[in-house]
Amino acid sequence: AMRWEWIWSNPAASASPPRLEPKEMRPPSPGEVARLLTHVVVIDPLFHLFLVLAAMTGARRGQLLALRWIDIDFERGSVSFQRALVEGPDGPVLAPTKTRRSHRVALDPATMALLKARFDDVASSCPDGVGDAFVFSSDAAGLRPWNPNWVTKQFIAARKSAGLDHFRLHDLRHFMATQMLGAGVAVPVVSARLAHARASTTLNVYAHAIPGGDVRAARLIGGIVGTRPGSRHSRAVGS
């Protein structure tokens, strides 16, 4: 109405929006992820590959389910996320990614080996090629991707049968981010893997995972206010 000049003042400008309460983040530990993967690989190797990619790339559920074999670059050792599979009114449909941008993520040799082994199995039964086939599909030709809700139920069942405490499938995304930041990987690199539009978004969500900053800050302020061992202030407090 303001843009079309139907009104001359914006009533929404005086509104007080409710405060957004941040959700508690509880990513699994490396031991928990290893235990889950060890448990699932025996039960369902393809679902194991799905979980490995989720933990390695930090990709969202829909991005992983929309992967086609043409998105896997075996020469460069990377995967390209071009689209997402989301729940529509009449079932799952392909849609743009959340940021409406494609992005590429590098993979380690072990993960690429798992993908190559799966690709070889699928290619052996599809002589006409598997380029447009979905990576995660229940049919041999890869024409129909897994249902998103089915994947979530499979994850919950696997986590419970592995004897692990509660965490969500989406928490594997937080696992990747916090582990990389904790290991000292640069924020812009982690932000690119998460497909955040800005590095500031990554900082807002994962600032707690960047190590050392608070310790250095405490030592700095301690030196300024004179609480270093042997200082006059510390002796006065001790006396």
Side-chain angles (χ1 to χ4, degrees):
M2 285 284 293
R3 189 164 58 247
W4 292 347
E5 297 184 351
W6 290 356
I7 58 177
W8 300 106
S9 63
N10 184 4
S14 301
S16 299
R19 181 178 178 180
L20 180 62
E21 295 293 339
K23 295 181 179 179
E24 182 180 357
M25 186 184 302
R26 197 262 179 199
S29 67
E32 289 175 319
V33 172
R35 183 173 171 179
L36 176 65
L37 295 177
T38 301
H39 176 75
V40 173
V41 70
V42 179
I43 302 173
D44 189 341
L46 185 54
F47 191 57
H48 169 263
L49 176 59
F50 177 89
L51 295 178
V52 168
L53 283 179
M56 275 296 305
T57 66
R60 297 178 174 89
R61 178 187 66 177
Q63 293 174 323
L64 292 168
L65 294 178
L67 277 179
R68 302 180 190 270
W69 284 113
I70 198 172
D71 301 320
I72 311 298
D73 190 333
F74 289 105
E75 292 185 2
R76 296 183 180 181
S78 64
V79 56
S80 178
F81 295 104
Q82 307 276 352
R83 66 201 77 82
L85 186 73
V86 299
E87 290 286 354
D90 301 316
V93 294
L94 291 174
T97 62
K98 186 175 181 180
T99 59
R100 297 188 174 274
R101 298 185 307 170
S102 62
H103 72 288
R104 184 174 295 275
V105 174
L107 298 176
D108 66 299
T111 302
M112 289 304 303
L114 290 175
L115 280 167
K116 186 62 167 62
R118 175 62 184 175
F119 176 82
D120 291 341
D121 288 343
V122 175
S124 64
S125 58
C126 297
D128 296 331
V130 297
D132 288 334
F134 289 100
V135 175
F136 300 106
S137 173
S138 298
D139 60 279
L143 300 178
R144 295 182 302 276
W146 285 346
N147 186 291
N149 289 335
W150 177 85
V151 169
T152 298
K153 292 178 181 177
Q154 287 294 106
F155 169 79
I156 294 173
R159 176 182 54 76
K160 289 182 177 179
S161 62
L164 294 169
D165 293 335
H166 173 78
F167 63 87
R168 305 167 303 163
L169 174 60
H170 191 76
D171 288 330
L172 292 177
R173 176 176 172 85
H174 300 321
F175 165 81
M176 186 280 289
T178 54
Q179 290 299 313
M180 285 198 166
L181 291 170
V185 177
V187 172
V189 175
V190 179
S191 181
R193 289 182 72 90
L194 293 169
H196 283 163
R198 293 173 294 274
S200 59
T201 303
T202 308
L203 281 172
N204 289 338
V205 178
Y206 299 107
H208 68 282
I210 301 176
D214 193 42
V215 175
R216 289 193 297 270
R219 290 175 178 171
L220 174 64
I221 197 66
I224 294 173
V225 301
T227 57
R228 290 168 296 180
S231 67
R232 288 184 300 173
H233 179 71
S234 62
R235 288 196 298 270
V237 172
S239 61

